[in-house]
Amino acid sequence: EKAPRRPTMDLKVLDVFLKAPDRTTVQDCFVKAFLSVTAASTAAELREKRGPLVRHFSEVLDLEEGEAGQLADVLRAVVRKVTFASDEEQFTTLLQEGEVQIDERLHQLILQILRHQLPEWTEAAALARPSPARLLDMDWRVDETPQSGNASVLELPGVLVDLKLQTPPEIVGEGAKEELVSFELRTEELQTMLDGLGRIRDQLSAVNESQ
């Protein structure tokens, strides 16, 4: 079975780096591209981060806005691919798209930069992956609220549950946040929840016994 075809990138735009004053400038462009990707937690934020990146490339490389935009799109695609490249062969073919060939010295320079940045980018990407919230604490209380307009008649009792959660950071570099989630359960809903938790407990017990 053939692997799915990768989206085509206009790698020829990388030739603008031939006019870069030094290696540091090229490396800085790749780092800026990576940060613009990992600093965005939604598609809307990803589009928003593109503008400052385009302006930066336009200034440091003296590019027209259109060309700077193409460079921004290509660099962001490259850093996403290199971060999740699974082997050396996949890594070295990142800059090959069909018949498009870039300058060999530039090709080697970019590969050196990507290899140098890869450990840091891989760690940052791992931190940026969505992960579930952690339960820190729980509180509850029985609620016996009078029926509306009739203080002498109580509604069916329920329970008010407060969950204190630790949510993962949305942006690399930020710390975890704490969030309070409150909800109400009536008797039937509480029983449904307890039944589900019981099945989870039984399955975990079975897994532990099999190990």
Side-chain angles (χ1 to χ4, degrees):
E1 184 179 352
K2 293 183 178 180
R5 183 178 178 81
R6 295 177 300 170
T8 301
M9 297 185 295
D10 185 10
L11 294 178
K12 199 63 180 173
V13 72
L14 295 175
D15 283 345
V16 300
F17 285 135
L18 294 172
K19 299 183 294 182
D22 50 38
R23 172 197 170 106
T24 301
T25 301
V26 179
Q27 182 168 336
D28 176 70
C29 288
F30 276 94
V31 171
K32 289 286 197 301
F34 178 79
L35 293 176
S36 79
V37 172
T38 55
S41 58
T42 65
E45 289 182 358
L46 191 62
R47 291 191 295 269
E48 181 182 338
K49 298 292 182 183
R50 183 180 182 273
L53 188 65
V54 171
R55 290 191 292 273
H56 176 75
F57 290 167
S58 181
E59 292 173 4
V60 300
L61 297 171
D62 192 23
L63 302 176
E64 297 291 336
E65 182 178 349
E67 194 172 26
Q70 292 177 8
L71 181 62
D73 294 339
V74 168
L75 292 197
R76 297 211 294 184
V78 167
V79 297
R80 279 196 296 265
K81 288 183 177 182
V82 73
T83 302
F84 299 103
S86 58
D87 53 46
E88 179 67 16
E89 181 179 358
Q90 186 180 10
F91 184 92
T92 55
T93 59
L94 284 168
L95 302 180
Q96 298 175 7
E97 287 286 345
E99 300 299 322
V100 176
Q101 297 291 332
I102 63 174
D103 181 85
E104 180 61 25
R105 290 178 301 171
L106 177 61
H107 188 182
Q108 293 304 315
L109 172 62
I110 292 175
L111 289 180
Q112 290 173 14
I113 291 173
L114 294 178
R115 284 194 176 93
H116 175 75
Q117 296 293 146
L118 183 57
E120 178 181 342
W121 288 353
T122 301
E123 180 180 0
L127 291 174
R129 292 190 188 106
S131 58
R134 294 178 57 242
L135 178 62
L136 298 178
D137 195 10
M138 182 184 76
D139 191 18
W140 60 273
R141 64 188 183 276
V142 174
D143 178 41
E144 295 180 316
T145 305
Q147 286 187 0
S148 178
N150 191 345
S152 64
V153 180
L154 297 177
E155 291 189 4
L156 291 176
V159 59
L160 298 177
V161 181
D162 296 325
L163 300 180
K164 186 178 181 181
L165 306 176
Q166 184 182 72
T167 58
E170 297 179 352
I171 298 175
V172 173
E174 286 190 350
K177 300 178 181 178
E178 292 185 1
E179 180 180 353
L180 184 65
V181 177
S182 301
F183 57 92
E184 181 180 14
L185 294 172
R186 294 301 176 185
T187 303
E188 297 81 0
E189 298 164 341
L190 178 59
Q191 188 60 52
T192 299
M193 182 177 182
L194 292 175
D195 291 343
L197 291 174
R199 288 193 293 270
I200 293 173
R201 178 199 57 204
D202 294 342
Q203 185 170 350
L204 288 177
S205 296
V207 171
N208 289 333
E209 291 174 358
S210 66
Q211 292 180 348

